[in-house]
């Protein structure tokens, strides 16, 4: 039952508890809360997924006196710090905004500190004592302003598989990955403001098991760091999905592409801002592609770039639908004016005659990181 857009009061919660005692998933918006509301919520002892949106800024809340607002804050803090532990099956806990997720010492749950909690997923803007949550596999850091606390407890995220971060400084993401990136399989990064970016090379150096990378950096500043020469094909052996929206420099982007496109398990490739290829990289990829040694599992290919392009890039694009046997879609999202005319005059559109293949000219760049099957994490988006 998902009621995020509906303001749930005491009577509503009592009705839900009475009529749906076996409820497994619940999403509610709460404005004025009380011990009675939480008591009724606690009747739902089979809850595994709990999503709460605190509506602290509505008209009803604003009419409260200072004393009543303080009491509301205490109710919310007690719920997060104490009541949540009383759901024995809770696997996924998402509260927004989570001002009360931790106390001053960074303790998330106060009761029975020695008892591990069954949580597998959580959305938070706090670094808390992750020692209490050894089963966490999915963490979404979604700061309203910034993540609160020290990242050191991330070392206890020993089962972490999926990490999502939004509007977090690159230097802080680097610290998090240093502490818990070795077992990470999926990383989603979305940055919409001018912040210190996270180097793509660092991601693959710190996350050797990475299956999926979705990196969305909507700031039109080019990557200026030099490419890490220690990064090689061995760091891409597990990569299945690569999505990067970022204006990289010509040299950096080309070297990165040379490694990503040789990943043996690669199924989805997206680079809508900086797809390019030097002559050396084209030469390096040309023969393996024709010989069927690379891109044999590729199903979706999305490209676009603000950079000037060598003629060899068009040759590669024309070869791809023919020599990547599982390729279903190739989407084009705009190019530098000097390359645009070549694209439009090329026989790319004619390649739609290739069986089970569709080429799409999207006319303009769309800032999307991923448009595939996201059913396993859609409830966090």
């Amino acid at each position: 039952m998902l009621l995020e857009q509906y303001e749930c009061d005491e009577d509503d919660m009592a009705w839900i508890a009475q009529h749906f005692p076996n409820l497994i998933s619940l999403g509610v918006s709460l404005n004025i809360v009380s011990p009675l509301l939480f008591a009724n919520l606690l009747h739902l002892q089979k809850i595994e997924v709990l999503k709460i949106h605190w509506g602290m800024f509505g008209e009803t809340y604003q009419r409260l006196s200072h004393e009543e607002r303080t009491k509301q804050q205490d109710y919310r803090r007690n719920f997060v710090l104490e009541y949540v532990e009383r759901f024995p099956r809770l696997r996924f806990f998402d509260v927004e905004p989570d001002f009360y997720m931790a106390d001053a010492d960074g303790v998330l749950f106060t009761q029975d500190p020695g008892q591990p909690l069954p949580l597998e997923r959580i959305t938070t803007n706090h670094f808390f004592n992750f020692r209490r949550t050894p089963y966490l596999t999915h963490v979404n850091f979604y700061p309203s302003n910034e993540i609160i606390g020290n990242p050191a407890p991330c070392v206890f995220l020993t089962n972490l598989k999926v990490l999502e971060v939004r509007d977090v400084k690159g230097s802080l993401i680097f610290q998090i990955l240093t502490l818990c990136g070795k077992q990470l399989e999926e990383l989603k990064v979305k940055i919409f403001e001018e912040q210190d970016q996270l180097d793509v090379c660092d991601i693959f150096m710190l996350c050797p098991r990475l299956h999926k990378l979705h990196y969305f950096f909507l700031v039109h500043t080019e990557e200026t760091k030099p490419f890490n020469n220690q990064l090689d094909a061995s760091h891409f052996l597990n990569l299945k999905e690569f999505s990067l929206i970022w204006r990289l420099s010509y040299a950096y982007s080309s070297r990165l592409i040379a490694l990503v496109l040789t990943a043996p398990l690669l199924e989805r490739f997206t680079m809508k801002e900086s797809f390019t290829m030097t002559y050396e990289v084209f030469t390096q990829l040309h023969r393996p592609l024709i010989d069927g040694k690379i891109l044999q599992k590729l199903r979706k290919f999305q490209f676009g770039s603000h950079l000037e392009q060598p003629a060899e890039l068009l040759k590669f694009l024309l070869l791809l639908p023919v020599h990547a046997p599982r390729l279903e879609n190739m989407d084009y999202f705009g190019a530098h004016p000097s390359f645009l005319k070549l694209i439009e005059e090329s026989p790319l559109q004619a390649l739609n005659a290739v069986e089970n293949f569709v080429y799409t000219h999207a006319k303009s760049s769309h800032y999307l990181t991923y448009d595939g099957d996201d059913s396993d994490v859609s409830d966090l988006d």
Side-chain angles (χ1 to χ4, degrees):
M1 181 181 293
L2 299 177
L3 303 172
E4 286 98 329
Q5 304 302 319
Y6 179 79
E7 189 176 302
C8 189
D9 59 21
E10 282 186 0
D11 294 337
D12 295 322
M13 191 59 69
W15 186 86
I16 292 172
Q18 178 182 355
H19 289 85
F20 302 98
N22 297 318
L23 203 61
I24 293 176
S25 299
L26 177 64
V28 292
S29 179
L30 302 177
N31 193 2
I32 306 301
V33 296
S34 66
L36 180 58
L37 185 151
F38 292 145
N40 282 312
L41 179 58
L42 280 172
H43 286 305
L44 304 173
Q45 285 292 288
K46 294 186 179 181
I47 282 288
E48 297 181 9
V49 177
L50 182 59
K51 301 176 68 176
I52 294 178
H53 180 268
W54 298 129
M56 297 180 294
F57 308 105
E59 183 178 344
T60 304
Y61 188 86
Q62 295 301 322
R63 288 200 298 264
L64 298 178
S65 66
H66 176 73
E67 181 180 354
E68 290 173 326
R69 290 187 189 185
T70 301
K71 186 181 294 186
Q72 285 292 308
Q73 293 174 3
D74 290 339
Y75 287 155
R76 297 166 195 270
R77 182 176 291 106
N78 290 337
F79 172 74
V80 175
L81 295 178
E82 299 178 14
Y83 282 65
V84 172
E85 293 186 78
R86 302 180 188 178
F87 295 98
R89 300 186 182 184
L90 189 63
R91 298 183 299 105
F92 175 25
F93 182 48
D94 180 2
V95 56
E96 179 190 346
D98 66 341
F99 300 124
Y100 308 110
M101 284 287 285
D103 61 16
D105 297 321
V107 178
L108 178 63
F109 304 104
T110 57
Q111 294 185 356
D112 193 9
Q115 181 66 30
L117 300 169
L119 285 172
E120 297 175 9
R121 296 185 178 191
I122 195 167
T123 298
T124 180
N125 71 343
H126 283 78
F127 292 118
F128 54 85
N129 183 10
F130 292 114
R131 194 193 297 267
R132 291 290 319 275
T133 53
Y135 308 113
L136 277 178
T137 61
H138 193 145
V139 175
N140 182 12
F141 286 118
Y142 195 142
S144 54
N145 186 12
E146 61 180 358
I147 303 181
I148 301 172
N150 189 303
C154 288
V155 73
F156 298 111
L157 294 173
T158 54
N159 287 309
L160 189 65
K161 303 299 182 186
V162 180
L163 175 64
E164 296 189 56
V165 289
R166 179 173 177 141
D167 281 337
V168 177
K169 292 183 178 180
S171 56
L172 187 55
I173 302 175
F174 180 84
Q175 293 181 57
I176 297 172
L177 295 181
T178 300
L179 294 167
C180 60
K182 290 185 178 180
Q183 70 277 0
L184 201 64
E185 295 180 357
E186 181 174 344
L187 175 63
K188 291 185 176 182
V189 179
K190 294 183 179 180
I191 300 178
F192 294 91
E193 298 180 0
E194 191 75 47
Q195 302 194 47
D196 58 330
Q197 60 266 32
L198 175 65
D199 183 28
V200 182
C201 292
D202 288 341
I203 293 175
F204 286 102
M205 294 294 290
L206 294 171
C207 307
R209 300 183 183 180
L210 204 60
H211 294 177
K212 302 178 182 180
L213 173 64
H214 304 149
Y215 194 160
F216 180 89
F217 187 61
L218 188 55
V219 179
H220 290 169
T221 56
E222 286 192 1
E223 167 64 87
T224 57
K225 292 183 64 175
F227 196 84
N228 189 337
N229 291 324
Q230 294 182 333
L231 193 66
D232 57 34
S234 65
H235 296 90
F236 296 81
L237 295 178
N238 298 306
L239 187 65
K240 295 182 179 180
E241 297 180 9
F242 178 85
S243 178
L244 182 66
I245 312 298
W246 189 3
R247 291 199 168 190
L248 300 172
S249 66
Y250 179 71
Y252 190 106
S253 179
S254 188
R255 293 190 64 180
L256 179 63
I257 287 172
L259 292 172
V260 173
L261 294 184
T262 56
L265 303 179
L266 188 66
E267 297 178 2
R268 293 175 178 265
F269 176 90
T270 298
M271 185 177 280
K272 297 181 183 178
E273 287 289 313
S274 304
F275 182 70
T276 190
M277 193 173 292
T278 63
Y279 176 78
E280 290 75 17
V281 170
F282 170 75
T283 303
Q284 177 184 338
L285 297 177
H286 179 266
R287 179 51 59 183
L289 178 62
I290 293 178
D291 291 344
K293 295 181 179 179
I294 62 172
L295 302 178
Q296 295 303 288
K297 295 182 180 293
L298 186 68
R299 294 190 293 116
K300 193 171 188 70
F301 187 87
Q302 298 178 309
F303 70 100
S305 180
H306 70 292
L307 300 166
E308 293 189 43
Q309 304 294 351
E312 285 76 19
L313 181 60
L314 183 56
K315 297 178 183 179
F316 175 82
L317 295 174
L318 291 170
L319 288 171
L320 193 58
V322 180
H323 296 284
R326 299 188 183 183
L327 188 63
E328 300 169 356
N329 296 94
M330 178 186 287
D331 296 326
Y332 161 57
F333 288 89
H336 188 278
S338 64
F339 194 64
L340 182 60
K341 188 175 182 180
L342 292 178
I343 286 282
E344 293 175 343
E345 294 177 350
S346 76
L348 268 175
Q349 192 72 44
L351 288 172
N352 282 323
V354 176
E355 187 176 3
N356 300 320
F357 171 77
V358 176
Y359 168 76
T360 302
H361 183 179
K363 303 292 184 183
S364 61
S365 179
H366 297 287
Y367 297 109
L368 302 176
T369 55
Y370 180 57
D371 57 4
D373 181 8
D374 211 10
S375 57
D376 57 335
V377 294
S378 60
D379 49 358
L380 285 178
D381 289 342

